[in-house]
Amino acid sequence: MNKYNVSRLAVKNAIARLGLTNAQAPNALIKYAQGSSFVWSLGSTSGSQAVYDNYNERVRLVIAENGTVLDVFPIDYALQSPHNLSEEVRQSLKESTKETLIARRDKTHRKWCETELAFHENSYEIAKVRLQLIDASVEEAATLNRRLADLCADNKRLHEDRSALRKERTELERALVPYI
């Protein structure tokens, strides 16, 4: 888990924008940062700062490369006040965010499907090797056991990959809900 620091400005903005107290803000911001997902790098800062979203807490954070939380907003901050943006800009922002989230969700779903297929192909190979082990001689059994161990290690890795992709897809689907 990454170690995060909190800037004074982030604490001040958390108090104003999120309604936290001065005592609550630093710990809450660290908690939000730990549960956040990368969204994009801020191009104007040569990649030294990036935007992260914590979908569960519905906050957007700006975090420096060194792990300092620089700013915090409610996730739909720009869309909350009619004084912040014109209706046309708000709708455009909503649509582009929705399209970006859908594209990321679809890309993650495709990766998950490919990993799921590889997992089941590998499981099929494991079953074939186990079937061969039934009638194998001692020399063949040693070779088959080594192959089985390699296949099982691959299967474990594939299972972890598909679980991570399923979790990422679920997070993206949750993030998409406010825009549908």
Side-chain angles (χ1 to χ4, degrees):
M1 191 174 292
N2 293 339
K3 183 169 172 49
Y4 294 99
N5 301 314
V6 180
S7 70
R8 288 183 184 154
L9 177 63
V11 170
K12 180 181 170 187
N13 288 339
I15 293 167
R17 296 175 181 156
L18 304 178
L20 299 173
T21 66
N22 199 23
Q24 294 172 325
N27 290 333
L29 290 174
I30 290 171
K31 180 182 130 200
Y32 296 162
Q34 289 171 342
S36 65
S37 301
F38 175 79
V39 180
W40 71 80
S41 291
L42 292 174
S44 61
T45 62
S46 303
S48 64
Q49 296 175 4
V51 175
Y52 291 81
D53 282 352
N54 184 319
Y55 302 117
N56 294 334
E57 301 293 335
R58 310 224 5 98
V59 294
R60 175 164 285 167
L61 304 156
V62 177
I63 301 177
E65 200 173 60
N66 65 2
T68 302
V69 178
L70 302 173
D71 206 352
V72 62
F73 307 90
I75 213 162
D76 55 355
Y77 180 68
L79 305 175
Q80 286 181 351
S81 172
H83 306 293
N84 292 344
L85 301 171
S86 70
E87 181 63 30
E88 183 179 309
V89 172
R90 279 201 327 266
Q91 288 304 318
S92 174
L93 183 59
K94 264 181 128 170
E95 279 303 311
S96 65
T97 302
K98 177 182 171 184
E99 290 169 10
T100 302
L101 287 170
I102 288 172
R104 284 181 59 195
R105 182 205 57 197
D106 291 348
K107 182 179 175 185
T108 302
H109 183 68
R110 176 175 287 286
K111 284 182 191 176
W112 176 81
C113 289
E114 291 168 355
T115 305
E116 185 78 7
L117 183 62
F119 174 80
H120 289 292
E121 287 173 348
N122 198 24
S123 295
Y124 176 71
E125 286 297 316
I126 289 171
K128 283 178 26 181
V129 169
R130 287 185 174 151
L131 184 63
Q132 291 173 352
L133 269 170
I134 294 171
D135 297 326
S137 66
V138 174
E139 299 85 28
E140 291 173 332
T143 304
L144 290 172
N145 279 327
R146 279 193 297 278
R147 180 141 191 265
L148 185 61
D150 291 341
L151 287 171
C152 287
D154 286 346
N155 222 32
K156 181 180 179 186
R157 179 188 52 78
L158 287 168
H159 176 67
E160 291 168 352
D161 290 349
R162 74 183 186 152
S163 295
L165 288 167
R166 182 176 30 239
K167 181 180 177 187
E168 182 180 343
R169 186 188 69 203
T170 301
E171 287 177 359
L172 287 168
E173 287 171 347
R174 285 182 183 150
L176 189 58
V177 169
Y179 300 100
I180 295 177

